[in-house]
Amino acid sequence: MSVLELRDLRVTYAGDVPAVRGVDLSVAAGEVLGIAGESGCGKSTITNAVLRLLPRSAEVGGQVLLDGEDVYGMSFGRLRAVRWAQASIVFQGALHSLNAVQRIGRQIAEPILLHSKVSRREADKRVAELLEQVGLPARRARDYPHQLSGGQRQRVMIALALACGPRLLIADEPTTALDVMVQAQVLDLLSSLVKDLGLSMVLISHDLSVLGSVCDRVAVMYAGRVVEQGPATAVFDDPRHPYSAALAGAFPRIGDERFRYSPRGLPGDPPFPGDLPGGCPFHPRCPIAVDLCATTEVTLAGVGDGRTSACLRATERGLDLRGAR
Protein backbone atom coordinates (compact mmCIF):
# COMPACT_ATOMS: atom_id res chain seq x y z
CA MET A 1 0.00 0.00 0.00
CA SER A 2 1.25 3.50 -0.85
CA VAL A 3 1.96 5.93 1.97
CA LEU A 4 0.34 8.68 -0.11
CA GLU A 5 -1.95 8.33 -3.11
CA LEU A 6 -3.72 11.06 -5.06
CA ARG A 7 -6.60 9.88 -7.23
CA ASP A 8 -7.96 12.33 -9.79
CA LEU A 9 -7.25 15.24 -7.43
CA ARG A 10 -9.00 18.43 -8.52
CA VAL A 11 -8.83 21.78 -6.73
CA THR A 12 -10.82 24.83 -7.83
CA TYR A 13 -10.44 28.19 -6.12
CA ALA A 14 -13.11 30.86 -5.75
CA GLY A 15 -14.01 32.43 -9.07
CA ASP A 16 -13.96 29.04 -10.83
CA VAL A 17 -10.14 28.93 -11.06
CA PRO A 18 -8.98 25.32 -11.63
CA ALA A 19 -5.57 25.13 -9.91
CA VAL A 20 -5.22 21.33 -10.04
CA ARG A 21 -6.96 19.35 -12.78
CA GLY A 22 -7.07 15.59 -12.30
CA VAL A 23 -3.72 14.62 -10.78
CA ASP A 24 -2.87 10.98 -10.04
CA LEU A 25 0.28 10.40 -7.97
CA SER A 26 1.53 7.88 -5.43
CA VAL A 27 4.44 7.66 -3.00
CA ALA A 28 5.64 4.27 -1.78
CA ALA A 29 7.21 3.60 1.61
CA GLY A 30 10.76 4.96 1.68
CA GLU A 31 10.36 6.68 -1.71
CA VAL A 32 11.16 10.29 -2.59
CA LEU A 33 8.85 11.85 -5.18
CA GLY A 34 9.72 15.20 -6.71
CA ILE A 35 7.13 17.58 -8.14
CA ALA A 36 8.49 20.21 -10.54
CA GLY A 37 7.06 23.17 -12.38
CA GLU A 38 6.93 26.96 -12.62
CA SER A 39 5.09 29.12 -10.12
CA GLY A 40 1.36 28.78 -10.58
CA CYS A 41 1.37 25.23 -11.94
CA GLY A 42 -0.34 23.76 -8.85
CA LYS A 43 2.58 22.35 -6.83
CA SER A 44 1.85 24.10 -3.54
CA THR A 45 -1.89 23.57 -3.97
CA ILE A 46 -1.22 19.82 -3.97
CA THR A 47 0.94 20.24 -0.85
CA ASN A 48 -1.83 22.04 1.00
CA ALA A 49 -4.49 19.64 -0.25
CA VAL A 50 -2.75 16.62 1.31
CA LEU A 51 -3.50 17.78 4.88
CA ARG A 52 -6.55 19.95 4.15
CA LEU A 53 -4.75 23.27 4.50
CA LEU A 54 -6.57 24.90 1.58
CA PRO A 55 -8.88 27.89 2.12
CA ARG A 56 -12.49 27.05 2.87
CA SER A 57 -13.58 28.54 -0.45
CA ALA A 58 -11.57 25.93 -2.38
CA GLU A 59 -13.52 23.03 -3.90
CA VAL A 60 -11.72 19.69 -3.78
CA GLY A 61 -12.57 16.61 -5.83
CA GLY A 62 -11.03 13.17 -6.12
CA GLN A 63 -9.25 11.45 -3.24
CA VAL A 64 -6.19 12.02 -1.06
CA LEU A 65 -5.29 8.75 0.66
CA LEU A 66 -2.82 8.53 3.55
CA ASP A 67 -2.06 4.87 4.26
CA GLY A 68 -5.29 4.08 2.46
CA GLU A 69 -7.46 6.48 4.50
CA ASP A 70 -9.21 9.34 2.70
CA VAL A 71 -8.10 12.64 4.24
CA TYR A 72 -11.30 14.35 3.12
CA GLY A 73 -13.42 11.72 4.83
CA MET A 74 -11.73 12.24 8.21
CA SER A 75 -13.36 13.99 11.13
CA PHE A 76 -11.49 17.07 12.37
CA GLY A 77 -10.35 15.12 15.43
CA ARG A 78 -8.90 12.37 13.28
CA LEU A 79 -7.30 14.92 10.94
CA ARG A 80 -5.70 16.66 13.92
CA ALA A 81 -4.18 13.34 15.00
CA VAL A 82 -2.87 12.64 11.48
CA ARG A 83 -1.18 16.03 11.11
CA TRP A 84 2.35 15.96 12.55
CA ALA A 85 2.12 12.34 13.69
CA GLN A 86 1.49 10.73 10.28
CA ALA A 87 2.40 13.44 7.76
CA SER A 88 4.05 16.82 8.19
CA ILE A 89 5.18 19.73 6.03
CA VAL A 90 8.33 21.83 5.74
CA PHE A 91 7.21 25.15 4.27
CA GLN A 92 9.23 27.40 2.00
CA GLY A 93 9.77 30.42 4.26
CA ALA A 94 11.07 29.35 7.67
CA LEU A 95 11.14 32.90 9.03
CA HIS A 96 7.44 33.32 8.27
CA SER A 97 6.52 29.87 9.58
CA LEU A 98 8.24 30.20 12.96
CA ASN A 99 6.83 32.28 15.82
CA ALA A 100 9.12 35.28 16.17
CA VAL A 101 8.44 35.75 19.90
CA GLN A 102 8.90 32.15 21.06
CA ARG A 103 12.14 30.27 21.56
CA ILE A 104 12.61 27.52 19.00
CA GLY A 105 12.80 24.81 21.66
CA ARG A 106 9.30 25.66 22.84
CA GLN A 107 7.98 25.65 19.29
CA ILE A 108 9.40 22.19 18.57
CA ALA A 109 8.12 20.88 21.92
CA GLU A 110 4.54 22.04 21.31
CA PRO A 111 3.45 19.27 18.88
CA ILE A 112 5.35 16.68 20.96
CA LEU A 113 3.42 17.63 24.08
CA LEU A 114 0.15 17.69 22.15
CA HIS A 115 0.46 14.38 20.32
CA SER A 116 2.76 12.25 22.45
CA LYS A 117 1.36 12.97 25.93
CA VAL A 118 4.82 13.10 27.52
CA SER A 119 6.20 15.23 30.34
CA ARG A 120 7.87 18.57 29.71
CA ARG A 121 11.23 17.08 30.63
CA GLU A 122 10.79 14.24 28.13
CA ALA A 123 9.71 16.74 25.47
CA ASP A 124 12.80 18.88 26.09
CA LYS A 125 14.98 15.79 25.75
CA ARG A 126 13.29 14.99 22.44
CA VAL A 127 13.86 18.59 21.27
CA ALA A 128 17.57 18.28 22.01
CA GLU A 129 17.72 15.00 20.06
CA LEU A 130 15.93 16.55 17.09
CA LEU A 131 18.23 19.57 16.97
CA GLU A 132 21.28 17.30 17.06
CA GLN A 133 19.69 15.19 14.32
CA VAL A 134 19.44 18.17 11.99
CA GLY A 135 22.96 19.37 12.76
CA LEU A 136 22.31 22.04 15.40
CA PRO A 137 23.62 21.99 18.98
CA ALA A 138 20.96 21.42 21.63
CA ARG A 139 21.74 24.79 23.24
CA ARG A 140 20.16 26.57 20.25
CA ALA A 141 16.77 25.55 21.70
CA ARG A 142 17.02 28.73 23.82
CA ASP A 143 17.36 30.98 20.76
CA TYR A 144 14.68 32.98 19.00
CA PRO A 145 14.25 32.61 15.20
CA HIS A 146 15.94 35.96 14.46
CA GLN A 147 19.10 34.72 16.16
CA LEU A 148 19.55 31.98 13.55
CA SER A 149 20.75 32.12 9.96
CA GLY A 150 18.46 31.18 7.08
CA GLY A 151 19.94 27.70 6.82
CA GLN A 152 19.68 27.17 10.57
CA ARG A 153 16.03 28.24 10.57
CA GLN A 154 15.33 25.77 7.78
CA ARG A 155 16.95 23.03 9.89
CA VAL A 156 14.66 24.02 12.75
CA MET A 157 11.68 23.65 10.41
CA ILE A 158 12.85 20.15 9.50
CA ALA A 159 13.26 19.27 13.18
CA LEU A 160 9.76 20.61 13.82
CA ALA A 161 8.34 18.49 11.00
CA LEU A 162 10.03 15.38 12.42
CA ALA A 163 8.91 16.05 16.01
CA CYS A 164 6.18 13.40 16.13
CA GLY A 165 7.82 10.77 13.93
CA PRO A 166 5.71 11.05 10.75
CA ARG A 167 5.90 8.49 7.96
CA LEU A 168 5.56 11.15 5.24
CA LEU A 169 7.49 14.41 4.98
CA ILE A 170 6.39 17.06 2.47
CA ALA A 171 9.01 19.70 1.66
CA ASP A 172 7.60 22.66 -0.29
CA GLU A 173 10.59 24.36 -1.95
CA PRO A 174 12.61 24.21 1.30
CA THR A 175 15.80 25.66 -0.21
CA THR A 176 14.48 28.46 -2.46
CA ALA A 177 15.61 31.34 -0.21
CA LEU A 178 19.03 29.82 0.60
CA ASP A 179 22.39 30.30 -1.05
CA VAL A 180 23.87 27.46 -3.09
CA MET A 181 26.16 26.09 -0.37
CA VAL A 182 23.45 26.06 2.30
CA GLN A 183 20.98 24.62 -0.19
CA ALA A 184 23.30 21.67 -0.78
CA GLN A 185 23.64 21.13 2.98
CA VAL A 186 19.88 21.12 3.53
CA LEU A 187 19.31 18.73 0.62
CA ASP A 188 22.01 16.39 1.95
CA LEU A 189 20.33 16.54 5.35
CA LEU A 190 16.91 15.67 3.92
CA SER A 191 18.38 12.78 1.91
CA SER A 192 20.15 11.33 4.94
CA LEU A 193 17.04 11.66 7.13
CA VAL A 194 14.92 9.84 4.55
CA LYS A 195 17.47 7.02 4.46
CA ASP A 196 18.14 6.82 8.21
CA LEU A 197 14.53 7.15 9.37
CA GLY A 198 12.87 5.24 6.53
CA LEU A 199 10.69 8.22 5.62
CA SER A 200 8.73 8.81 2.46
CA MET A 201 9.08 12.33 1.08
CA VAL A 202 7.46 14.63 -1.45
CA LEU A 203 9.94 17.33 -2.51
CA ILE A 204 8.56 20.29 -4.44
CA SER A 205 10.82 22.52 -6.53
CA HIS A 206 11.04 24.38 -9.81
CA ASP A 207 14.64 23.15 -10.17
CA LEU A 208 14.85 19.82 -12.01
CA SER A 209 18.57 19.52 -11.24
CA VAL A 210 17.80 19.50 -7.50
CA LEU A 211 15.07 16.91 -7.91
CA GLY A 212 17.28 14.79 -10.16
CA SER A 213 19.92 14.51 -7.45
CA VAL A 214 17.58 13.79 -4.52
CA CYS A 215 14.44 12.04 -5.78
CA ASP A 216 13.60 8.55 -6.98
CA ARG A 217 10.82 9.73 -9.28
CA VAL A 218 9.75 13.12 -10.63
CA ALA A 219 6.38 14.43 -11.79
CA VAL A 220 6.49 17.59 -13.92
CA MET A 221 3.41 19.81 -13.73
CA TYR A 222 2.07 22.45 -16.09
CA ALA A 223 -1.27 24.29 -15.90
CA GLY A 224 -2.54 22.11 -13.06
CA ARG A 225 -1.74 18.74 -14.63
CA VAL A 226 1.14 16.28 -14.66
CA VAL A 227 2.73 16.40 -18.13
CA GLU A 228 5.57 13.95 -17.52
CA GLN A 229 6.44 11.39 -14.88
CA GLY A 230 9.26 8.90 -14.49
CA PRO A 231 12.61 8.10 -12.83
CA ALA A 232 14.25 11.34 -11.70
CA THR A 233 17.54 10.99 -13.55
CA ALA A 234 15.78 9.96 -16.77
CA VAL A 235 13.40 12.93 -16.69
CA PHE A 236 16.35 15.30 -16.19
CA ASP A 237 18.78 13.66 -18.63
CA ASP A 238 16.32 12.67 -21.36
CA PRO A 239 12.99 14.53 -20.95
CA ARG A 240 10.07 13.29 -23.05
CA HIS A 241 7.98 16.46 -22.86
CA PRO A 242 9.16 19.83 -24.25
CA TYR A 243 8.24 21.58 -20.99
CA SER A 244 10.41 19.17 -18.99
CA ALA A 245 13.19 19.79 -21.49
CA ALA A 246 12.87 23.56 -20.95
CA LEU A 247 13.06 23.14 -17.17
CA ALA A 248 16.11 20.89 -17.47
CA GLY A 249 17.80 23.34 -19.84
CA ALA A 250 17.22 26.23 -17.44
CA PHE A 251 19.47 24.50 -14.88
CA PRO A 252 22.36 23.07 -16.94
CA ARG A 253 25.10 20.91 -15.47
CA ILE A 254 28.43 22.71 -15.46
CA GLY A 255 30.92 20.90 -17.69
CA ASP A 256 28.27 18.79 -19.43
CA GLU A 257 28.56 19.35 -23.20
CA ARG A 258 24.89 18.48 -23.75
CA PHE A 259 23.83 21.60 -21.86
CA ARG A 260 26.22 24.04 -23.55
CA TYR A 261 23.62 25.30 -26.00
CA SER A 262 20.52 24.60 -23.88
CA PRO A 263 17.86 27.30 -23.69
CA ARG A 264 17.76 29.37 -20.53
CA GLY A 265 14.03 29.77 -20.34
CA LEU A 266 10.80 29.95 -22.27
CA PRO A 267 9.05 32.81 -24.02
CA GLY A 268 5.87 34.06 -22.42
CA ASP A 269 4.28 33.05 -19.14
CA PRO A 270 2.26 30.06 -17.94
CA PRO A 271 -1.46 30.47 -18.71
CA PHE A 272 -3.81 31.82 -16.07
CA PRO A 273 -5.72 28.82 -14.65
CA GLY A 274 -9.05 30.52 -15.32
CA ASP A 275 -8.25 31.13 -18.99
CA LEU A 276 -6.50 28.03 -20.35
CA PRO A 277 -5.90 27.66 -24.10
CA GLY A 278 -7.56 24.82 -26.00
CA GLY A 279 -5.82 21.56 -26.73
CA CYS A 280 -2.48 21.11 -25.01
CA PRO A 281 -2.14 24.08 -22.62
CA PHE A 282 1.61 24.25 -23.34
CA HIS A 283 1.27 24.63 -27.12
CA PRO A 284 1.46 28.49 -27.25
CA ARG A 285 4.99 28.31 -25.75
CA CYS A 286 6.09 24.99 -27.23
CA PRO A 287 9.00 25.02 -29.74
CA ILE A 288 7.81 21.82 -31.46
CA ALA A 289 4.04 22.39 -31.49
CA VAL A 290 2.03 21.44 -34.57
CA ASP A 291 -1.51 22.48 -35.55
CA LEU A 292 -3.01 19.40 -33.90
CA CYS A 293 -1.62 20.47 -30.51
CA ALA A 294 -4.01 23.44 -30.41
CA THR A 295 -7.11 21.25 -30.72
CA THR A 296 -6.21 17.92 -29.09
CA GLU A 297 -6.38 17.48 -25.32
CA VAL A 298 -3.45 15.19 -24.53
CA THR A 299 -3.39 12.83 -21.55
CA LEU A 300 -0.47 10.93 -20.03
CA ALA A 301 0.61 7.90 -22.04
CA GLY A 302 3.46 5.44 -21.65
CA VAL A 303 6.71 6.23 -23.47
CA GLY A 304 8.73 3.26 -22.20
CA ASP A 305 10.89 2.48 -19.17
CA GLY A 306 8.16 3.27 -16.66
CA ARG A 307 7.72 6.80 -17.98
CA THR A 308 4.64 8.71 -19.10
CA SER A 309 4.29 11.92 -21.09
CA ALA A 310 1.39 14.13 -22.22
CA CYS A 311 2.85 15.16 -25.58
CA LEU A 312 1.64 14.16 -29.05
CA ARG A 313 5.23 14.01 -30.30
CA ALA A 314 6.90 12.35 -27.31
CA THR A 315 7.61 9.07 -29.11
CA GLU A 316 8.85 10.52 -32.42
CA ARG A 317 12.32 9.27 -33.20
CA GLY A 318 15.12 11.74 -33.88
CA LEU A 319 13.16 14.63 -32.40
CA ASP A 320 14.92 17.05 -30.10
CA LEU A 321 12.26 18.21 -27.63
CA ARG A 322 14.14 21.47 -27.17
CA GLY A 323 13.08 22.40 -30.69
CA ALA A 324 16.03 21.40 -32.88
CA ARG A 325 16.33 18.35 -35.15
Side-chain angles (χ1 to χ4, degrees):
M1 180 185 294
S2 299
V3 174
L4 173 66
E5 186 174 1
L6 309 181
R7 296 180 180 175
D8 191 28
L9 178 64
R10 290 163 279 112
V11 179
T12 302
Y13 289 122
D16 199 27
V17 179
V20 175
R21 304 183 298 132
V23 168
D24 295 296
L25 290 173
S26 64
V27 184
E31 183 181 36
V32 181
L33 171 70
I35 302 180
E38 292 172 283
S39 296
C41 70
K43 306 188 303 298
S44 293
T45 295
I46 287 178
T47 297
N48 292 327
V50 170
L51 288 177
R52 282 169 53 178
L53 298 175
L54 294 167
R56 290 186 178 183
S57 59
E59 296 181 8
V60 181
Q63 289 183 303
V64 177
L65 304 178
L66 279 175
D67 289 322
E69 186 177 2
D70 190 351
V71 171
Y72 286 84
M74 294 177 181
S75 66
F76 182 75
R78 174 58 182 156
L79 178 63
R80 189 183 187 196
V82 163
R83 290 172 175 169
W84 296 96
Q86 194 168 335
S88 59
I89 298 177
V90 179
F91 291 106
Q92 180 175 344
L95 187 59
H96 301 104
S97 300
L98 295 170
N99 190 326
V101 297
Q102 280 192 1
R103 300 180 192 274
I104 63 168
R106 182 171 181 178
Q107 296 185 57
I108 298 173
E110 183 177 352
I112 299 172
L113 291 167
L114 178 64
H115 289 275
S116 302
K117 307 301 181 184
V118 299
S119 68
R120 182 73 203 200
R121 177 173 293 184
E122 290 172 314
D124 289 342
K125 181 180 178 181
R126 174 65 175 154
V127 169
E129 292 172 351
L130 286 165
L131 289 175
E132 295 283 354
Q133 198 169 40
V134 299
L136 291 173
R139 59 180 172 79
R140 302 310 297 264
R142 299 189 297 271
D143 290 343
Y144 290 95
H146 73 272
Q147 294 176 290
L148 303 174
S149 69
Q152 290 171 330
R153 285 193 293 265
Q154 203 62 43
R155 288 171 184 265
V156 170
M157 286 296 298
I158 295 170
L160 189 57
L162 297 175
C164 297
R167 294 189 62 204
L168 174 68
L169 182 66
I170 302 172
D172 187 359
E173 302 205 42
T175 61
T176 297
L178 306 177
D179 63 63
V180 175
M181 293 298 292
V182 177
Q183 172 179 284
Q185 293 169 7
V186 171
L187 291 173
D188 286 344
L189 172 63
L190 287 171
S191 297
S192 63
L193 289 171
V194 166
K195 181 178 179 181
D196 295 343
L197 301 178
L199 295 172
S200 300
M201 183 168 72
V202 177
L203 178 59
I204 294 176
S205 178
H206 61 277
D207 188 338
L208 264 186
S209 63
V210 166
L211 299 181
S213 64
V214 175
C215 301
D216 300 305
R217 288 187 300 117
V218 166
V220 179
M221 291 190 65
Y222 188 81
R225 286 184 174 173
V226 175
V227 296
E228 181 170 358
Q229 187 175 178
T233 53
V235 171
F236 184 54
D237 291 337
D238 182 29
R240 302 314 305 156
H241 191 283
Y243 181 62
S244 305
L247 287 180
F251 298 92
R253 290 176 178 168
I254 296 174
D256 191 329
E257 293 290 333
R258 293 172 301 171
F259 289 89
R260 176 170 292 182
Y261 300 108
S262 295
R264 294 296 183 267
L266 280 168
D269 298 306
F272 176 65
D275 187 25
L276 296 174
C280 171
F282 185 60
H283 84 265
R285 306 172 71 194
C286 182
I288 61 167
V290 294
D291 291 344
L292 198 59
C293 297
T295 56
T296 305
E297 187 169 342
V298 189
T299 57
L300 287 171
V303 291
D305 299 324
R307 302 172 64 182
T308 56
S309 174
C311 178
L312 289 175
R313 308 188 67 187
T315 58
E316 289 186 29
R317 295 191 175 186
L319 180 68
D320 183 346
L321 293 180
R322 291 180 176 84
R325 290 185 180 273

